[in-house]
Amino acid sequence: QVQLVESGGGLVQPGGSLRLSCAGSRMLFRIYTMGWYRQAPGKQRELVASITSGGSTNYSDSVKGRFTISRDSSKNTVYLQMNSLKSEDTAIYYCNTAPARLLYWGQGTQVTVSS
C-alpha cells in the first residue's frame, strides 16, 4: 500500500517560513508529477504547487514567488518551502500526485499563520 506522509507544519507568525516534507515511495515519485495541496476551513482543496519527474515546477498565483517545491530523489521526499507566510495560507497541507489520486490522500499537516 502506497503511503504519503506529510510533516513540518506548525504555528508561525505572518512573514515567517516553514518547510513541509512529504515522504513516499521511490516508484511513485519517479513516475508521477507530485503536488502540494491545501484546504482551508470552509474552502475546497486546491493545488498550490507541482513538480514533474523531470523537475519542472508550477505554482498557483496565490503562492507564486513565495513558495518553492522541490524533490530529493535519494530520500524519496518532496518539499514545500513556504516563505513570507500570510494568514490566508492557514490550511491543512497535503501532498499527492497531480492530478490527485484518491488512494494517496494522507492525513496532511496543519499550517497556522497567526500573530
Side-chain angles (χ1 to χ4, degrees):
Q1 182 178 354
V2 176
Q3 276 191 308
L4 293 171
V5 181
E6 303 95 343
S7 63
L11 173 64
V12 63
Q13 292 186 342
S17 298
L18 281 174
R19 188 177 80 156
L20 307 183
S21 300
C22 171
S25 72
R26 179 186 302 178
M27 182 65 70
L28 192 69
F29 291 163
R30 181 183 300 172
I31 295 174
Y32 295 114
T33 295
M34 297 301 299
W36 279 98
Y37 300 75
R38 69 184 181 188
Q39 186 166 22
K43 295 189 176 181
Q44 287 192 332
R45 197 171 298 185
E46 62 171 340
L47 176 65
V48 297
S50 62
I51 185 166
T52 68
S53 57
S56 297
T57 59
N58 199 25
Y59 301 92
S60 66
D61 288 342
S62 61
V63 307
K64 195 173 296 183
R66 300 187 298 121
F67 289 12
T68 303
I69 188 171
S70 61
R71 64 200 303 159
D72 185 336
S73 298
S74 66
K75 296 181 179 179
N76 301 328
T77 301
V78 175
Y79 302 99
L80 186 68
Q81 177 67 44
M82 305 186 295
N83 299 327
S84 302
L85 283 162
K86 306 175 181 179
S87 58
E88 51 263 44
D89 295 318
T90 295
I92 301 175
Y93 285 72
Y94 304 86
C95 66
N96 201 319
T97 57
R101 290 166 170 81
L102 185 64
L103 176 66
Y104 300 147
W105 288 119
Q107 297 296 315
T109 186
Q110 175 71 49
V111 171
T112 303
V113 184
S114 175
S115 55

